[in-house]
Amino acid sequence: MSETAGYMRFFPYDQPYENQREAMDRIHNSLQRGQDVLFEGACGTGKTLSSLVPALEVAREHDKTVVITTNVHQQMRQFVAEARAITREEDIRAVVFKGKSSMCHIDVGYEECQALRDNTRAVVDTERDKRQLERRQRELLAESQEGDGGAADARSAVMDELENIADRLEDLEEQNVCDYYRNNLTESTDDFFAWLFEDVRTPDEIYEHAEAQEFCGYELLKEGIEGVDLVVCNYHHLLDSTIREQFFRWLGREPEDVIAVFDEAHNVEDAAREHATRTCSERTFDSALDELADSDDPRSEDAANALSAFHRALVETYEDSFGFGDREAIDENWTDVSIANENRKDDLTLEFLQRYSGRGIQDDLEAAMKLGQELDEQYEEAYREGETATRTECQTLQAAAFVSAWMSEGSKEGLYPVVAVTRDAGTDEVYGRAELYSCLPRQVTGRLFEEVYATVLMSATLQPFDVTENVLGLEDPVTMAYGLQFPEDRRRTYAVETPALFSSDRDDPAVQETVAETIHDTVRMTPGNTLAFFPNYGEASRYAERVDDRSEKTVYLDEPGTSVEELRQQFVADDGAVLCTSLWGTLAEGVSFDGDDAHTVLVVGVPYPHLDDRAEAVQEAYDAAFEGTETGWRYAVEIPTVRKTRQALGRVIRSPEDVGVRALLDRRYSRSAKSDLGRYSVNSTFPHEEREELIDIAPEKLKFAMLNFYGDFDAYDGETPAP
């Protein structure tokens, strides 16, 4: 037993998996030194406990709090299960935290909630003051009746004060208050907190329990998390700097007192980029200008001067981009309009500068900001006073803040100006938005990693580690990787040399026939269910139809807008079906297909993202940040693409008893095609141990290989299919 085995008091099961003990040792030692950790572990590694157990031990030793976070709902449920298991072995206080929007009993926004809380607390405090004064005046009355002359004068002053408080309370009671939060302040919450820490409660359980007692569960949860050992939460609690500051304050912790554990950490890059991106829609500008038109403040004219010029420039920019039929083709999804130019400002900024005339853009924007702040304060006061039923958001403040950022930050490294358009389904109106897209996630994550005590980033697909370090801004982290620990003879991984599904070749009838026949062979030779991933939903639909035409097995098709969970349940309840879905859908990661749920997984094609101007901007930003002409392609396109593939392959072979085949249908995955495909070969992007498992095979031979493999395990139950 190692010297660091004290952490095993937090391990809730009899024995760790193979390599799990080593992983816990290394993570424990790293956290003791305050180092960040990059931890890649395949299914069966026990990543959650490998990270959580030593983190809890270090937190206990050094008075820290562990925050474990994910953006995958199924993983959140797994964290709750693991935390509950730990509490059966060791006394820890753990809470699961979720955003306010999903826990509010009266469904109001953040600003309204803030005003309601302030009003409610003012009412409760005033009622308390009134009760204290009433008690005091009764005491003084008794003293005066006993002959104390001074008590009579004091009672008279108290009565005057009581009259003033009664008037104030009458005014306050006309304002908007939250009855749930009022109960938090006026009723005993001891039983609620006793219940909360009896077990690890989910946000849904907290909501229901609080609802039954007419408490605000979210505010009680905020109140109760101070000093806890473990918090389970979503990414945005750590990646959004404003939320993070509040969150740590609720914890009663400084950043250096927090050990952060990120699950599915390959998603942190995109999540951080999303949190750093700023947008403002045309409708916000419309509302801001209406707001200014209703204002008699002398600054409103200057504010409108700048905002209307930017608004007109935004509309003109996207209107000028439309060619014949483009406007009619706009749907309900946001579609980018290219506005970037080499060696000069973007089209929107140039249009804005051309349209603006006035005393100065910065002066007008400053006037808009100050006026917006005052209007926002007026809206809050009106809501508090009960003059309005909802808390109005100041559109002038939002629009002015965005335009100020656009003009001052738009040319900074890593920021890419974008215009996008969409169609309103209700009005059929086309409208646009401007966006400052953040290309470099390390501008968000680098600061976070510097602030907290230490971080563990874990995933099944973090390699290559040097890329993860650079992209996220980690300084000399400890790295470790563990492959599948299950018996190798119970799985096969094939690189099937079907034609490369370049977008230009996907409509080739010969290519489609080869791919469809190979999929059909795979489904036919699988004793049970087959899971098939495609580069997009269109390709999934194309081949679902082709396989359905030639197969007797049930074909399930995952389509946008359908219930994925219902579809998954139907599929796993079947025996001998195929489910066709997109590699960019929700089934590609965070969802397990254990045991007989699926025996074979196919990845058809290489799931490169749509390489639009935005993707090009990310590549260029990476090229500039990391000094290499091919760095952008590798960091921004190739490696994330292969991670998508690796995540999909991990949906099956989930236990040592599982038997299965994983097949990559596209010659770009094969070792033999590297020499003639150049940069489009992705074989070398896989980690070494995974490349070693890849077996190159011709499409017509795959069915024989699968027949022999599954036959060795008597998986066909005496009904061996004919090759």
Side-chain angles (χ1 to χ4, degrees):
M1 181 177 293
S2 71
E3 295 179 1
T4 58
Y7 58 68
M8 288 300 292
R9 60 179 164 156
F10 294 104
F11 191 81
Y13 307 118
D14 291 339
Q15 291 293 329
Y17 293 140
E18 184 180 354
N19 289 333
Q20 194 174 30
R21 168 80 75 168
E22 178 187 333
M24 287 190 288
D25 267 346
R26 294 187 63 191
I27 291 172
H28 181 270
N29 292 336
S30 301
L31 294 181
Q32 286 279 27
R33 297 188 292 266
Q35 293 177 291
D36 297 317
V37 177
L38 291 177
F39 173 26
E40 178 174 299
C43 178
T45 311
K47 292 187 293 296
T48 300
L49 285 178
S50 294
S51 302
L52 187 54
V53 165
L56 286 170
E57 173 68 12
V58 173
R60 181 69 60 86
E61 293 174 0
H62 298 281
D63 188 26
K64 309 294 182 187
T65 292
V66 178
V67 177
I68 188 166
T69 180
T70 185
N71 67 338
V72 179
H73 292 303
Q74 180 164 314
Q75 289 303 108
M76 183 77 76
R77 293 192 291 270
Q78 178 66 25
F79 292 164
V80 172
E82 301 286 24
R84 283 174 172 167
I86 290 171
T87 60
R88 306 294 187 265
E89 301 297 321
E90 185 72 16
D91 183 24
I92 67 168
R93 298 200 331 152
V95 296
V96 183
F97 206 83
K98 206 170 182 180
K100 178 199 166 304
S101 61
S102 61
M103 295 189 69
C104 182
H105 302 274
I106 58 175
D107 194 25
V108 297
Y110 175 80
E111 297 292 344
E112 287 184 69
C113 178
Q114 179 66 53
L116 283 172
R117 292 201 311 275
D118 292 344
N119 285 351
T120 305
R121 184 172 288 279
V123 169
V124 170
D125 288 347
T126 305
E127 289 175 337
R128 182 197 61 222
D129 293 343
K130 181 183 178 184
R131 288 193 299 271
Q132 291 174 345
L133 286 170
E134 287 173 339
R135 184 168 60 251
R136 180 58 180 155
Q137 75 88 14
R138 288 193 298 269
E139 293 171 352
L140 291 169
L141 175 62
E143 292 173 11
S144 66
Q145 289 173 341
E146 293 174 359
D148 186 342
D153 292 339
R155 179 173 177 269
S156 177
V158 168
M159 293 296 291
D160 289 341
E161 193 171 349
L162 263 174
E163 186 176 345
N164 291 334
I165 278 191
D167 291 341
R168 183 183 172 208
L169 189 58
E170 185 177 345
D171 291 339
L172 285 172
E173 287 176 341
E174 294 178 359
Q175 299 177 6
N176 294 307
V177 297
C178 174
D179 291 333
Y180 287 91
Y181 184 58
R182 181 174 187 146
N183 291 335
N184 286 15
L185 301 176
T186 58
E187 304 293 332
S188 173
T189 57
D190 292 346
D191 289 344
F192 178 89
F193 285 115
W195 168 84
L196 178 65
F197 291 113
E198 280 176 354
D199 202 345
V200 182
R201 309 296 186 181
T202 67
D204 289 343
E205 290 171 336
I206 294 169
Y207 178 92
E208 292 170 5
H209 193 75
E211 175 72 25
Q213 300 183 41
E214 297 185 344
F215 286 138
C216 174
Y218 180 74
E219 289 300 319
L220 288 178
L221 188 57
K222 282 166 51 178
E223 182 182 337
I225 65 174
E226 184 171 353
V228 297
D229 302 290
L230 172 66
V231 183
V232 180
C233 64
N234 297 317
Y235 274 1
H236 66 266
H237 289 104
L238 294 184
L239 293 180
D240 186 298
S241 59
T242 302
I243 296 175
R244 180 169 73 244
E245 183 178 346
Q246 294 177 334
F247 186 53
F248 287 174
R249 187 167 63 248
W250 298 333
L251 285 173
R253 293 294 195 178
E254 295 298 324
E256 60 266 25
D257 297 322
V258 172
I259 298 173
V261 180
F262 281 88
D263 182 59
E264 302 294 349
H266 61 280
N267 290 321
V268 170
E269 176 181 353
D270 285 340
R273 190 177 285 125
E274 180 181 334
H275 278 89
T277 294
R278 305 179 67 167
T279 64
C280 193
S281 85
E282 179 182 335
R283 290 184 166 178
T284 299
F285 286 104
D286 288 334
S287 299
L289 292 171
D290 289 341
E291 191 174 53
L292 292 170
D294 292 337
S295 173
D296 56 5
D297 190 288
R299 292 168 296 183
S300 61
E301 184 176 348
D302 291 335
N305 190 44
L307 297 186
S308 63
F310 195 91
H311 173 264
R312 293 195 306 272
L314 172 61
V315 174
E316 192 66 27
T317 298
Y318 71 71
E319 289 287 357
D320 284 350
S321 75
F322 292 151
F324 179 76
D326 286 347
R327 169 179 277 276
E328 290 70 25
I330 299 298
D331 59 20
E332 297 170 33
N333 299 309
W334 285 102
T335 303
D336 284 356
V337 173
S338 176
I339 62 170
N341 292 290
E342 293 184 7
N343 303 320
R344 65 190 184 110
K345 291 284 189 179
D346 61 90
D347 291 344
L348 175 54
T349 301
L350 292 174
E351 187 71 30
F352 174 44
L353 294 174
Q354 181 176 338
R355 287 181 171 275
Y356 173 82
S357 61
R359 63 193 181 104
I361 290 175
Q362 291 305 320
D363 290 338
D364 284 354
L365 288 175
E366 184 177 350
M369 286 288 290
K370 289 181 177 178
L371 176 56
Q373 289 165 353
E374 291 182 17
L375 288 173
D376 197 56
E377 291 170 1
Q378 292 173 20
Y379 295 153
E380 181 165 352
E381 183 177 356
Y383 182 65
R384 291 184 191 213
E385 296 295 329
E387 297 172 11
T388 57
T390 59
R391 204 287 194 184
T392 304
E393 300 288 338
C394 182
Q395 305 299 300
T396 297
L397 183 58
Q398 293 186 29
F402 178 81
V403 178
S404 295
W406 182 278
M407 298 304 293
S408 63
E409 301 174 18
S411 59
K412 285 186 178 179
E413 178 189 12
L415 289 180
Y416 178 67
V418 184
V419 167
V421 291
T422 189
R423 185 180 299 278
D424 187 305
T427 65
D428 202 41
E429 173 193 1
V430 171
Y431 65 99
R433 74 178 181 194
E435 178 178 346
L436 278 176
Y437 179 66
S438 180
C439 300
L440 298 174
R442 68 179 184 178
Q443 294 173 341
V444 173
T445 54
R447 181 182 173 190
L448 167 64
F449 299 146
E450 288 177 3
E451 289 180 350
V452 298
Y453 172 77
T455 308
V456 180
L457 294 102
M458 59 182 183
S459 169
T461 56
L462 278 182
Q463 296 189 75
F465 290 130
D466 63 324
V467 174
T468 303
E469 290 176 38
N470 289 338
V471 168
L472 298 183
L474 288 157
E475 294 292 334
D476 196 26
V478 175
T479 61
M480 59 188 74
Y482 299 93
L484 272 174
Q485 306 301 306
F486 307 144
E488 289 188 27
D489 63 348
R490 300 182 72 84
R491 65 180 183 269
R492 289 290 184 274
T493 309
Y494 297 108
V496 187
E497 295 180 305
T498 51
L501 286 175
F502 294 110
S503 57
S504 58
D505 297 328
R506 289 177 186 169
D507 292 330
D508 186 324
V511 170
Q512 292 180 19
E513 179 60 26
T514 300
V515 173
E517 187 61 29
T518 307
I519 297 172
H520 173 58
D521 286 344
T522 306
V523 172
R524 203 161 49 87
M525 292 300 160
T526 298
N529 289 340
T530 301
L531 188 61
F533 291 98
F534 297 84
N536 54 58
Y537 286 107
E539 290 294 285
S541 177
R542 183 206 301 270
Y543 286 103
E545 182 178 347
R546 282 179 165 269
V547 172
D548 195 30
D549 287 343
R550 65 186 78 193
S551 176
E552 296 180 358
K553 296 190 175 183
T554 305
V555 177
Y556 294 92
L557 176 62
D558 177 19
E559 298 176 284
T562 61
S563 171
V564 173
E565 180 55 25
E566 288 181 14
L567 182 67
R568 189 194 69 81
Q569 291 179 6
Q570 292 175 359
F571 171 66
V572 301
D574 212 324
D575 182 20
V578 56
L579 171 58
C580 297
T581 185
S582 169
L583 278 155
W584 297 94
T586 57
L587 291 173
E589 60 178 271
V591 180
S592 300
F593 291 84
D594 305 321
D596 292 331
D597 288 354
H599 283 291
T600 296
V601 59
L602 298 178
V603 174
V604 183
V606 179
Y608 284 119
H610 178 55
L611 299 180
D612 54 14
D613 289 343
R614 191 182 297 241
E616 292 290 339
V618 174
Q619 290 184 63
E620 290 175 7
Y622 281 166
D623 281 339
F626 305 120
E627 299 179 353
T629 55
E630 285 295 312
T631 302
W633 169 264
R634 182 168 179 260
Y635 282 23
V637 180
E638 183 176 294
I639 289 169
T641 295
V642 171
R643 282 179 178 152
K644 275 286 180 189
T645 297
R646 296 176 63 209
Q647 283 288 329
L649 289 181
R651 296 314 93 211
V652 299
I653 316 296
R654 309 291 297 183
S655 78
E657 292 75 33
D658 286 354
V659 174
V661 166
R662 306 179 300 174
L664 302 168
L665 272 61
D666 192 304
R667 65 187 299 263
R668 285 173 286 183
Y669 291 112
S670 71
R671 183 181 295 105
S672 62
K674 287 194 292 185
S675 59
D676 59 301
L677 286 175
R679 70 183 290 197
Y680 295 106
S681 169
V682 296
N683 179 273
S684 58
T685 308
F686 285 80
H688 173 75
E689 64 276 9
E690 292 183 21
R691 286 201 307 273
E692 291 300 299
E693 281 201 36
L694 280 174
I695 302 170
D696 290 0
I697 192 169
E700 64 274 10
K701 294 182 178 179
L702 178 61
K703 58 186 175 182
F704 297 105
M706 291 181 63
L707 181 66
N708 291 333
F709 171 73
Y710 282 122
D712 287 344
F713 292 94
D714 297 325
Y716 294 117
D717 295 327
E719 298 180 8
T720 305

